[in-house]
Amino acid sequence: MQSLPGCVSKGDMAYLTEHILLRHRDVPGIKTIDVYMAHGGYQALDKALNTLQPAQVTEMVKASGLRGRGGASFPTGLKWSFIPKDAPTTYVVVNADESEPGTFKDREIIEGNPHQLLEGTALCAYAIGACVAYIYGRGEFRTLFVDLQRAIDEAYQAGWLGQNIRGSNFSLDIHLHLGAGAYICGEETALLESLEGKLGMPRARPPFPTQYGLYGKPTVVNNVETLANVPPIVLHGPEWYRQFGTEQSPGVKIFCLSGCINRPGNYELSLGIPLRVLIEECGGGAPEGRAIKAILPSGASSHLLPGYNPELPLDYESLQAAGAPLGSASFIVLDETVDIPWAIAKVTHFFKHESCGKCTPCREGTYWLEDVYRRLLNGRAWPGDVELLLSIAEQMNGNCFCALGEFALCPVRSSIEHLRAEYEAHVPQGSR
Amino acid sequence: MTSQAFYEELQGVLKKYPVKQSAVLEALYILQRDKNYLSDEDIHTAAEALEMTVTEVQAIVGFYSLFRRQPTGKYLIQVCTDLPCALRGADAFYRRLCERLGLPPEGGTTADGLFTVEEVVCLAACDRAPVAQINLQYFEHLTDQAMDAVIARLREQG
Ligand SMILES: Cc1cc2nc3c(=O)[nH]c(=O)nc-3n(C[C@H](O)[C@H](O)[C@H](O)COP(=O)(O)O)c2cc1C
Ligand code: SF4
Ligand code: FES
């Protein structure tokens, strides 16, 4: 019998013996169904169909401690359990909108290991009684979705999708759906609106999608990476999964490393591993041995993490305690040569560009923030402009209709809080 | 494209959904695909096919950034200059590209109508900066030389 993927200790740290999500890095050709099946593929679905009740699948995912990898970190099994038991129609919607600056992990799963995503989607559908699933991809993923459709076709041919899968009474169709350029459609309720053919603007919550989702039906929306975790959890069991990560943040996570770093890329690690493993061992440090000034750990939507604490454990609780939640784990590294107001102006431009315009505090606030940043960088800052940024942020705070507006404030406020001198340096002499 | 070809292709899309309107983004994509922009007629075609009002379809077209109402160059070159790429030299790469194509620093369309160049936000390829999409196809780990080679090839194709 083949040994299961696990951890090996090196020094004081546990390293993965092989990838659990990015399996294409260990198994060439796993994007084709033959190779996937030769390496345990679709065995989890087979196990579920033959030996597990739908509720037991949900229980396993709950017991594994898996949390959503799309940014909000909500416990996945708990979300599935919110679907009403007697609902005649339910949906699974896979969030493949991946548009957060600094995030490129879902794309690698889709390109490299697509069947694991499809199998995870099927397991979710089985657990919640859905017979239709949609994968919503950002419009820019059109060429990737040609290959993903090919994987879906293979799965139908092999009998893992379609009517009465493997002779069971479980049937599932998976459809691909492409967006058309809008970051806000990554927000789950805006995504559902967009899938219904409407403007991608967020809905009021509650009701949450598990009650009132796609076409008004109970719907689970999960991120690509989240669902890719499900087949190994169901196949090897929650106890196996919990050997990775920490008590409160179990499992593995793909960290997207970008910016001022020698080896940018995706790195799949046990949660809780120290920051130095990601930055130094994986990323090879900043170019030319430069010092790291700050890190944005969840893309543009980050609170800035000042300095570099090599021992910081990369788990949800430790990052939260450090004031910068892990979110999607998109680590943008800023080294000593980076002008912080310039960097935050870039992300502010992003949010202004992507504000959907539904509510005034976000639409106007991001506009004014960008305007002040432009002035600051052009050397035309007015005295008090740093205070002005904070005051615009204060007026937006708590008043935006969805999380995008609040995200826009995080990098602005946290960077001023930690590195205010860099801002003041942009205010011309004499006018301070 | 002919309206018959459009309707035929749309049938396959409509099968995926319980309501017609869900197909609106794909319908507009199909209509825009061959000429890189949507005409008034296209918007009417989509509205009629999906039983939506023209105003509703116009709002959709205005909301989503991949839809265009103005003709662009035959090849739409979208270079990411968002933060992670900018930290790896994307801003300068973009300016040099514009300069070599004889365009102003903010981009635009070449005189022969072949190329439109513009800046876009993150394309989920930050580890392979500088990156661009040309008519939605990825080009990664770009250098000036690599980009010039691509442009030369497209020029040859016409
Ligand atoms: C503005 C905004 C953008 C988002 N973008 C994404 C995205 O691109 N991909 C994603 O999976 N989740 C995104 N989310 C989170 C989703 O709303 C939702 O929490 C997630 O898809 C749920 O899946 P999970 O529990 O598996 O993480 C975004 C949220 C907001 C507020
Ligand atoms: S906060 Fe911004 S993105 Fe969210 S609804 Fe308001 S305008 Fe739209
Ligand atoms: S920032 Fe350029 S692809 Fe992400």
Side-chain angles (χ1 to χ4, degrees):
Chain A
M1 189 178 147
Q2 236 186 333
S3 68
L4 296 183
C7 295
V8 286
S9 293
K10 276 190 225 153
D12 55 345
M13 243 129 34
Y15 289 82
L16 301 184
T17 55
E18 57 191 88
H19 291 89
I20 293 166
L21 306 173
L22 303 175
R23 290 189 72 198
H24 53 286
R25 295 189 177 186
D26 305 321
V27 185
I30 202 166
K31 68 185 291 182
T32 64
I33 199 163
D34 294 346
V35 177
Y36 184 65
M37 286 180 63
H39 289 81
Y42 290 106
Q43 280 181 19
L45 182 57
D46 194 55
K47 173 180 175 181
L49 294 178
N50 288 308
T51 66
L52 299 170
Q53 293 300 313
Q56 289 177 296
V57 174
T58 302
E59 282 312 312
M60 284 177 105
V61 174
K62 251 193 201 169
S64 75
L66 176 65
R67 296 199 221 168
R69 306 298 197 220
S73 316
F74 192 83
T76 305
L78 186 62
K79 183 188 279 189
W80 294 8
S81 72
F82 291 157
I83 296 287
K85 298 286 162 286
D86 50 356
T89 307
T90 59
Y91 290 106
V92 178
V93 173
V94 183
N95 192 339
D97 195 53
E98 193 163 61
S99 309
E100 179 73 42
T103 311
F104 39 87
K105 61 190 179 65
D106 299 338
R107 180 184 164 194
E108 184 172 343
I109 293 172
I110 290 167
E111 286 186 299
N113 193 10
H115 285 289
Q116 192 162 326
L117 169 63
L118 300 179
E119 189 179 5
T121 305
L123 285 163
C124 175
Y126 178 70
I128 70 160
C131 55
V132 178
Y134 294 95
I135 303 182
Y136 185 107
R138 58 181 296 183
E140 292 85 352
F141 282 176
R142 185 163 288 276
T143 52
L144 273 61
F145 268 39
V146 174
D147 280 357
L148 184 56
Q149 183 62 53
R150 192 170 304 140
I152 290 175
D153 295 344
E154 284 180 339
Y156 273 100
Q157 272 154 27
W160 295 114
L161 289 176
Q163 288 298 310
N164 298 100
I165 294 173
R166 295 273 158 156
S168 71
N169 53 17
F170 172 60
S171 301
L172 177 66
D173 287 316
I174 299 184
H175 300 299
L176 298 184
H177 181 100
L178 283 164
Y183 166 70
I184 188 60
C185 290
E187 193 283 332
E188 58 186 14
T189 61
L191 185 152
L192 295 173
E193 288 287 292
S194 179
L195 193 43
E196 292 180 6
K198 302 174 189 158
L199 298 184
M201 288 182 173
R203 297 175 179 169
R205 303 187 311 172
F208 291 94
T210 44
Q211 274 176 281
Y212 187 92
L214 184 63
Y215 309 118
K217 304 288 191 266
T219 301
V220 163
V221 182
N222 269 142
N223 170 260
V224 168
E225 183 189 352
T226 309
L227 290 171
N229 276 277
V230 174
I233 289 171
V234 170
L235 188 59
H236 307 313
E239 284 312 312
W240 165 83
Y241 189 73
R242 280 184 167 273
Q243 75 182 293
F244 309 106
T246 67
E247 181 61 31
Q248 288 193 68
S249 295
V252 292
K253 177 82 191 78
I254 302 174
F255 292 84
C256 309
L257 191 55
S258 70
C260 307
I261 192 84
N262 278 316
R263 291 189 294 273
N266 286 318
Y267 296 97
E268 181 180 330
L269 303 170
S270 265
L271 280 160
I273 211 146
L275 181 58
R276 76 182 135 88
V277 173
L278 178 65
I279 299 292
E280 295 167 36
E281 289 181 33
C282 300
E288 293 163 21
R290 291 196 283 260
I292 291 170
K293 189 188 277 182
I295 294 174
L296 297 170
S298 67
S301 304
S302 294
H303 291 262
L304 176 138
L305 200 57
Y308 171 58
N309 169 9
E311 298 312 319
L312 179 71
L314 298 180
D315 57 57
Y316 293 108
E317 294 70 32
S318 304
L319 269 287
Q320 185 77 41
L326 186 61
S328 53
S330 318
F331 282 63
I332 307 176
V333 179
L334 309 173
D335 75 19
E336 57 186 329
T337 64
V338 176
D339 179 46
I340 295 297
W342 168 84
I344 308 302
K346 277 273 183 193
V347 301
T348 301
H349 167 75
F350 173 80
F351 287 116
K352 190 223 142 199
H353 189 260
E354 299 299 335
S355 166
C356 83
K358 179 174 179 137
C359 71
T360 316
C362 167
R363 187 183 61 236
E364 300 283 312
T366 53
Y367 174 88
W368 287 112
L369 286 174
E370 187 183 38
D371 201 57
V372 177
Y373 271 106
R374 195 176 298 135
R375 223 155 61 202
L376 217 56
L377 296 181
N378 286 344
R380 300 221 185 92
W382 299 351
D385 266 356
V386 183
E387 277 308 312
L388 183 57
L389 287 173
L390 289 173
S391 123
I392 298 169
E394 185 52 39
Q395 289 170 59
M396 292 169 69
N397 189 27
N399 293 321
C400 295
F401 186 78
C402 84
L404 185 148
E406 309 294 333
F407 288 167
L409 310 180
C410 302
V412 174
R413 291 176 132 184
S414 56
S415 63
I416 297 176
E417 179 192 335
H418 296 299
L419 296 163
R420 186 170 181 132
E422 299 221 7
Y423 281 83
E424 299 293 357
H426 282 274
V427 181
Q429 296 292 331
S431 60
R432 284 184 197 180
Chain B
M1 80 189 308
T2 66
S3 80
Q4 196 197 340
F6 167 71
Y7 272 93
E8 269 169 25
E9 194 170 344
L10 187 65
Q11 286 318 306
V13 181
L14 287 171
K15 274 198 283 219
K16 299 198 270 191
Y17 311 103
V19 304
K20 280 189 167 180
Q21 189 168 336
S22 280
V24 65
L25 297 183
E26 197 62 19
L28 290 168
Y29 167 78
I30 295 168
L31 290 163
Q32 177 172 285
R33 187 174 50 202
D34 297 334
K35 59 184 186 316
N36 270 355
Y37 81 104
L38 290 162
S39 65
D40 290 346
E41 193 191 329
D42 292 330
I43 288 177
H44 280 90
T45 305
E48 195 180 304
L50 302 168
E51 293 164 17
M52 296 170 68
T53 67
V54 169
T55 319
E56 282 170 334
V57 177
Q58 275 167 340
I60 295 274
V61 170
F63 186 86
Y64 294 94
S65 67
L66 291 181
F67 296 129
R68 307 184 157 253
R69 292 303 320 272
Q70 301 299 325
T72 65
K74 180 165 177 196
Y75 301 105
L76 177 58
I77 306 179
Q78 299 178 298
V79 180
C80 172
T81 57
D82 219 340
L83 178 62
C85 281
L87 290 166
R88 308 184 78 79
D91 284 329
F93 172 82
Y94 181 75
R95 275 196 307 274
R96 291 194 304 271
L97 173 63
C98 292
E99 199 179 302
R100 293 201 306 287
L101 287 170
L103 297 170
E106 67 274 13
T109 302
T110 53
D112 57 7
L114 217 43
F115 302 104
T116 295
V117 184
E118 65 180 26
E119 293 178 73
V120 292
V121 291
C122 184
L123 290 169
C126 329
D127 55 335
R128 307 169 200 187
V131 292
Q133 285 201 322
I134 305 181
N135 295 357
L136 295 183
Q137 200 189 324
Y138 277 103
F139 292 82
E140 304 173 324
H141 294 297
L142 284 167
T143 58
D144 291 353
Q145 293 81 340
M147 195 70 203
D148 285 347
V150 172
I151 286 173
R153 211 175 65 222
L154 295 175
R155 270 226 175 87
E156 239 162 68
Q157 273 176 30

